[in-house]
Amino acid sequence: AQSVTQLDSQVPVFEEAPVELRCNYSSSVSVYLFWYVQYPNQGLQLLLKYLSGSTLVESINGFEAEFNKSQTSFHLRKPSVHISDTAEYFCAVSDSSGSARQLTFGSGTQLTVLP
Amino acid sequence: GAGVSQTPSNKVTEKGKYVELRCDPISGHTALYWYRQSLGQGPEFLIYFQGTGAADDSGLPNDRFFAVRPEGSVSTLKIQRTERGDSAVYLCASSDRAYGGDTQYFGPGTRLTVL
């Protein structure tokens, strides 16, 4: 069984400030890790994912996340946020070792970028 | 190309009624997933299909819930004897393969309200 914890349900931050959204997971098997984003009135879309290799992964719009196996974390960071980054962000995991294919999601973090 | 579509976008029904929710995945995607998202929570897995068969239905909450994908494309989630606790956004996702690291593409969801 797997679980994902996003401790911060809401994160307000001023425009151009850095931000970190925290994600910790628990799993008895090895996992793949994902961040999905849901913009207002839109569906969930993939932001970035870690499958293997370099533990630092980046998105096309400046976000990055680092897989830390010892701390079972996959925190999402951006050095300078924009108003358009306002959205709900979901961390998720899936089983990389067995037959299960579904995603297990955290409860989400609402990022609000203030002018 | 066209993304995942879901119909209806909103469904209001009365307790005890039967409802059907439809998902049209991205053309060619063999894997299809159903999730349920309650207010303030992340999506929770219900069932996934590989082709026409339900490969994992471990997330279905009880036998009132059933899903089919008879031709390996469109899927219908069926809920019998609806209860107020079934109120949620039902999300469908598809991917072109069924392995844990594959990107799942989500539809906009169907908001179900049981009065």
Side-chain angles (χ1 to χ4, degrees):
Chain A
Q2 297 151 354
S3 66
V4 177
T5 301
Q6 293 181 249
L7 286 172
D8 305 306
S9 60
Q10 304 215 21
V11 173
V13 62
F14 287 106
E15 194 173 17
E16 297 183 4
V19 70
E20 179 178 80
L21 307 184
R22 295 179 293 167
C23 172
N24 288 88
Y25 69 92
S26 174
S27 177
S28 56
V29 298
S30 57
V31 297
Y32 298 123
L33 295 142
F34 304 79
W35 277 98
Y36 277 81
V37 59
Q38 188 168 30
Y39 297 104
N41 300 313
Q42 296 186 29
L44 279 163
Q45 54 187 278
L46 180 71
L47 186 61
L48 48 76
K49 63 182 178 182
Y50 170 78
L51 301 183
S52 64
S54 172
T55 57
L56 184 66
V57 290
E58 299 177 350
S59 72
I60 59 173
N61 58 351
F63 282 92
E64 64 179 31
E66 186 156 22
F67 170 49
N68 187 318
K69 189 174 182 179
S70 63
Q71 296 187 6
T72 59
S73 68
F74 192 54
H75 301 329
L76 182 70
R77 295 186 292 262
K78 190 171 185 179
S80 176
V81 294
H82 304 290
I83 297 287
S84 59
D85 293 324
T86 293
E88 185 140 29
Y89 293 78
F90 293 93
C91 182
V93 302
S94 67
D95 183 355
S96 68
S97 63
S99 59
R101 301 289 179 258
Q102 63 269 28
L103 295 166
T104 299
F105 285 88
S107 56
T109 297
Q110 175 64 45
L111 173 64
T112 302
V113 181
L114 306 167
Chain B
V4 178
S5 63
Q6 293 185 246
T7 54
S9 56
N10 279 283
K11 177 70 176 178
V12 180
T13 190
E14 293 179 343
K15 179 176 177 294
K17 298 291 188 181
Y18 167 84
V19 297
E20 290 189 351
L21 312 179
R22 176 189 166 107
C23 171
D24 206 333
I26 292 173
S27 178
H29 278 191
T30 60
L32 185 147
Y33 306 80
W34 284 98
Y35 295 85
R36 178 169 72 172
Q37 187 173 17
S38 301
L39 195 62
Q41 300 297 317
E44 293 179 308
F45 168 73
L46 295 175
I47 184 172
Y48 104 85
F49 290 86
Q50 176 61 30
T52 60
D56 185 345
D57 64 357
S58 62
L60 295 177
N62 51 59
D63 61 6
R64 295 187 297 106
F65 289 75
F66 189 71
V68 295
R69 194 186 185 198
E71 298 179 356
S73 178
V74 170
S75 176
T76 305
L77 179 66
K78 309 180 181 196
I79 310 174
Q80 299 177 323
R81 305 182 304 280
T82 52
E83 300 177 356
R84 292 194 180 88
D86 298 336
S87 296
V89 176
Y90 289 81
L91 299 171
C92 176
S94 69
S95 65
D96 63 2
R97 293 173 294 169
Y99 92 101
D102 213 9
T103 297
Q104 294 184 24
Y105 297 86
F106 283 81
T110 294
R111 182 175 299 278
L112 175 66
T113 303
V114 181
L115 301 177

